[in-house]
Amino acid sequence: MAAQHHERGTGGASGGSAPTGGSPASSAEEPRLSAVPPSGAPAEHAAAVVADLEVPADHLPDLDHVGDAFKAVFADHPAGVAIITARGPDGPVGLTASSVSSVSAVPPILGFSLQARQGSAALLAEADSFLVHLLDAENLGLARSFAVSGAPRFGPDMPWEYLATGEPRLLGVGRVLRAVPLARIKAGPALVFNAAVVDVLGDEGTGAPLVYHRRRFHGLSDRSALDPRD
């Protein structure tokens, strides 16, 4: 789909202090981050304001009939799973996304898209920096927690910490990228990001990546390889 993140409802993270690191920032300390807007027009307005560029879509109304087939096609297209986190005005925020992709290696640039209309997505849209956690199969619990509204996030049973640069890092994930936005492009209801990777905080995966396919999470393994190594 155009924007694939898996958070239903506002799903805001609880405030609270991290196991290690400082206390959450206040609105006064980070004036660009607003309160979580409700879904609908207020959040759409916030996304439009933060966007650097808007792709015209008014000339595409006759493509509505393609929508269901488009969704079906991408439901059959597996995608890697990530959790994107940032520091919000009342504590850490984050969501599960399956739209993260590599754009360029030199310089290192990644891309992803959000439906920036509610909750954590609306706050991430305004963040000056964020962490992209690339998940393995053993991180299934985290993927579910950050995909479902009301699931526990950043609580005492979820190891995490604030980095010196301010972003919340989930300690149980081996592959983590720190990124800053280069462009936020409003395309229909989605906000499409290009972001520069400014630091690699971990690159040791388990070799069993987590993927999303047909609305379910799957774990890859050597047994799924169609071209096994000699």
Side-chain angles (χ1 to χ4, degrees):
M1 298 180 195
Q4 300 179 50
H5 77 262
H6 311 286
E7 182 189 43
R8 297 187 291 276
T10 56
S14 60
S17 59
T20 59
S23 59
S26 67
S27 298
E29 292 171 331
E30 297 202 33
R32 288 188 66 246
L33 289 171
S34 58
V36 177
S39 60
E44 284 284 355
H45 175 72
V49 170
V50 77
D52 303 304
L53 177 68
E54 183 166 355
V55 176
D58 294 341
H59 64 295
L60 301 176
D62 295 336
L63 295 180
D64 290 347
H65 66 285
V66 180
D68 290 341
F70 180 79
K71 293 176 183 178
V73 166
F74 272 91
D76 275 332
H77 183 68
V81 182
I83 293 174
I84 305 171
T85 63
R87 190 169 191 165
D90 299 314
V93 295
L95 52 79
T96 300
S98 60
S99 61
V100 176
S101 62
S102 171
V103 174
S104 168
V106 182
I109 298 173
L110 58 79
F112 62 91
S113 56
L114 301 174
Q115 292 279 358
R117 295 179 294 179
Q118 61 185 19
S120 298
L123 290 177
L124 282 167
E126 297 190 56
D128 291 323
S129 62
F130 38 80
L131 299 183
V132 178
H133 304 71
L134 302 179
L135 304 187
D136 289 328
E138 66 182 27
N139 303 129
L140 175 60
L142 286 174
R144 287 174 170 165
S145 292
F146 283 86
V148 179
S149 175
R153 304 178 188 179
F154 300 109
D157 297 329
M158 182 179 292
W160 67 281
E161 65 181 5
Y162 276 122
L163 300 182
T165 47
E167 306 87 0
R169 177 179 179 178
L170 302 172
L171 297 180
V173 180
R175 297 174 293 150
V176 183
L177 308 172
R178 179 171 175 263
V180 297
L182 295 174
R184 289 166 285 207
I185 304 166
K186 192 171 189 299
L191 202 61
V192 181
F193 283 73
N194 280 343
V197 176
V198 295
D199 199 3
V200 176
L201 305 175
D203 60 5
E204 294 294 330
T206 64
L210 187 66
V211 298
Y212 192 68
H213 181 241
R214 294 187 178 180
R215 297 177 181 266
R216 297 176 64 188
F217 293 110
H218 299 259
L220 297 184
S221 68
D222 288 340
R223 289 180 296 176
S224 64
L226 300 179
D227 54 348
R229 295 169 183 161
D230 294 332

